[in-house]
Amino acid sequence: MSTPLPLIAVTMGDGAGVGPEVVVAALLDDAVLTRCRPVVIGDAQRLREAARILGLDCEIAVVDHPRDAEFTPGRVNVIDLGLLPSGLPWGKLSPVAGHAAYAYIERAAQLAVAGEVNAICTAPLNKEALHAAGHIYPGHTELLAHLTGTEEVSMMLSTEKVKVIHVTTHIGLIDAVNRIEPGLVERTVRRGHEAMVRAGTPNPVIGVCGINPHAGENGLFGYGEEEEKIVPALEKLRVEGVDARGPLPADTAFFLASRGDYDLIVAMYHDQGHGPVKVLGIEAGVNLTVGLPVIRTSVDHGTAFDIAGTGTAEAGSMVEALRRAAEMATVPAAPVA
């Protein structure tokens, strides 16, 4: 008896971008099938076009359901929604592609809520195309929360050197500062702690950034936001055994994390976390959503319209995203012989 590898729903992303290319290349990577059972939610014809552009000889096999998929070298299983027209231009903004990207995520979320996949791994979508199609969401994180009926989730970025979880993400800076409060900080740190434990770090050391320069420097900068919004949460967490340290000056927290002092950094707002991560390791970066019914991972890059359809997109981040999805996936319910 052995535990089956996790079933991963892989969404194709915006079909006009590099998503189809990185998905095909990643699913043909020798290491992927040793870690998981990936099934693409997307457009079979677009994947065949991507394989041709990449010069890859593979079978794009259409299946009706993840349980129908067969996992053999050189085969890419796809639940074909057939939403893209033939001849869709590469690298051009398209409401049709934006709607299709939404539909891929919708189907993956349905499978996740039904317990029929153990994780979701997403190729990039284009927010402008998504909005042009009438789906007004800031990004994957908020869209998946809505589709799965999840009240609150967190965005987490993972690279070899540093991992960061965000208290706020796709809102303006003034709105972010107003939204931060002890309860939100506490819940975010807990989600990060649980994700790190699940990924194999049993006692993670968590560094929590301040809001102001130098974390306020004892009231010199700002209006006491650290003491009001962050410190109460950290005091409560530490009493309960969570090793959360701070508030830390953000301009040194990431350096300390990159040398190993912290397992996870908690950023207060989008650019505070994204900027350092993209400097320290975007090539193999992975975007995770924690707090959903299943883990969701994604590449840490966009649709790259400027190189879409040229066969030059790197698939390393997608391979890494699949690896992380497999590591953190919901454990399959039953063993197989």
Side-chain angles (χ1 to χ4, degrees):
M1 302 290 284
S2 62
T3 302
L5 295 174
L7 267 170
I8 311 293
V10 183
T11 60
M12 196 180 77
D14 190 301
V18 297
E21 295 166 83
V22 299
V23 165
V24 169
L27 267 60
L28 295 176
D29 186 282
D30 290 339
V32 168
L33 289 184
T34 68
R35 298 171 178 147
C36 63
R37 295 176 291 159
V39 177
V40 183
I41 316 297
D43 187 292
Q45 184 55 43
R46 197 61 163 180
L47 294 173
R48 292 188 183 106
E49 290 179 28
R52 178 185 56 78
I53 288 168
L54 293 166
L56 296 173
D57 183 16
C58 63
E59 178 188 6
I60 306 297
V62 175
V63 297
D64 293 328
H65 192 278
R67 63 173 169 263
D68 302 326
E70 299 176 12
F71 300 94
T72 56
R75 175 182 168 117
V76 175
N77 295 282
V78 56
I79 295 175
D80 182 17
L81 300 194
L83 296 173
L84 298 180
S86 61
L88 177 76
W90 294 93
K92 303 293 184 183
L93 184 76
S94 166
V96 173
H99 172 68
Y102 172 87
Y104 307 152
I105 292 292
E106 183 178 45
R107 178 65 63 87
Q110 291 168 350
L111 292 170
V113 169
E116 297 178 45
V117 296
N118 309 116
I120 297 171
C121 183
T122 62
L125 53 73
N126 183 281
K127 295 182 181 67
E128 189 176 352
L130 187 72
H131 292 182
H135 305 296
I136 312 302
Y137 296 91
H140 268 121
T141 303
E142 297 82 1
L143 174 54
L144 279 163
H146 169 75
L147 291 172
T148 60
T150 306
E151 185 173 343
E152 190 174 274
V153 297
S154 294
M155 177 187 290
M156 185 173 174
L157 303 179
S158 175
T159 73
E160 187 68 25
K161 289 186 176 181
V162 65
K163 296 174 178 60
V164 57
I165 191 168
H166 295 71
V167 175
T168 66
T169 50
H170 295 122
I171 57 175
L173 184 55
I174 292 174
D175 295 329
V177 174
N178 289 334
R179 182 174 296 183
I180 297 166
E181 49 86 21
L184 179 58
V185 172
E186 179 192 344
R187 294 190 299 274
T188 303
V189 175
R190 287 189 191 281
R191 280 190 285 270
H193 181 271
E194 291 167 3
M196 293 300 295
V197 170
R198 188 171 184 174
T201 304
N203 299 295
V205 179
I206 302 173
V208 181
C209 292
I211 297 171
N212 294 296
H214 299 256
E217 200 160 302
N218 298 316
L220 183 62
F221 305 117
Y223 300 92
E225 288 88 353
E226 282 75 18
E227 289 295 323
E228 174 191 348
K229 296 171 177 286
I230 300 174
V231 170
L234 301 189
E235 290 175 345
K236 182 176 180 181
L237 288 161
R238 286 193 287 262
V239 167
E240 297 179 15
V242 176
D243 192 352
R245 307 178 186 182
L248 304 172
D251 59 355
T252 59
F254 288 92
F255 165 74
L256 296 175
S258 71
R259 74 178 190 186
D261 291 18
Y262 298 103
D263 298 304
L264 175 68
I265 293 293
V266 179
M268 291 295 125
Y269 52 90
H270 184 282
D271 286 12
Q272 189 183 61
H274 276 63
V277 165
K278 291 186 176 183
V279 170
L280 291 169
I282 187 173
E283 296 86 358
V286 175
N287 184 324
L288 300 91
T289 305
V290 292
L292 295 169
V294 296
I295 198 70
R296 171 257 173 173
T297 68
S298 179
V299 294
D300 192 27
H301 61 71
T303 48
F305 279 171
D306 57 326
I307 62 169
T310 67
T312 60
E314 293 288 337
S317 186
M318 178 58 78
V319 171
E320 181 66 10
L322 283 162
R323 182 183 72 83
R324 295 289 289 171
E327 284 181 353
M328 302 179 72
T330 305
V331 178
V336 295

